[in-house]
Amino acid sequence: MDRTPPPVSLAAALALPRTPGRSSEVFVDGDLEVRFAARPTNGPQVPHQRDELYFVASGSGHYRVEETVTAVGPGDVLFCAAHAPHGFEDISEDFSVWVLFYGQQK
């Protein structure tokens, strides 16, 4: 990236065009991809090819990685290694997360 992008507020992220259950691209730079998901899929996701971080922006729910389930809410940071089965469960109507994929595909 040749220049620093402007900040993206939660309100601006919520206004991004999106497909229900899917995340929207915020920006990509090299092997870093920043996305935003309002009401992500409730249940298992297809395991991804890269490591990822989630930052819970709003709402509450449960985050499952393999067999471990953890209650999550605003401000929580979640990690998922590439290829690990994971997903969100019992999410509130206002649940949203920032999603960062990084590194090479594994």
Side-chain angles (χ1 to χ4, degrees):
M1 190 172 283
D2 294 335
R3 61 185 175 81
T4 302
V8 178
S9 68
L10 179 57
L14 286 165
L16 290 171
R18 65 181 186 266
T19 301
R22 305 289 305 202
S23 62
S24 299
E25 182 180 296
V26 177
F27 70 83
V28 176
D29 183 37
D31 65 1
L32 172 66
E33 182 178 356
V34 178
R35 303 185 67 82
F36 182 79
R39 288 270 317 145
T41 300
N42 192 12
Q45 297 182 20
V46 173
H48 304 292
Q49 302 296 311
R50 298 191 293 163
D51 292 337
E52 68 183 305
L53 288 168
Y54 292 101
F55 295 83
V56 180
S58 63
S60 61
H62 292 89
Y63 179 58
R64 176 184 294 272
V65 177
E66 296 174 347
E67 299 305 316
T68 302
V69 179
T70 306
V72 297
D76 290 348
V77 178
L78 320 169
F79 174 78
C80 186
H83 305 287
H86 67 289
F88 296 101
E89 302 173 354
D90 305 317
I91 58 175
S92 62
E93 286 294 320
D94 62 340
F95 189 75
S96 63
V97 290
W98 296 96
V99 185
L100 282 71
F101 290 100
Y102 65 94
Q104 300 296 316
Q105 290 190 1
K106 297 180 179 181

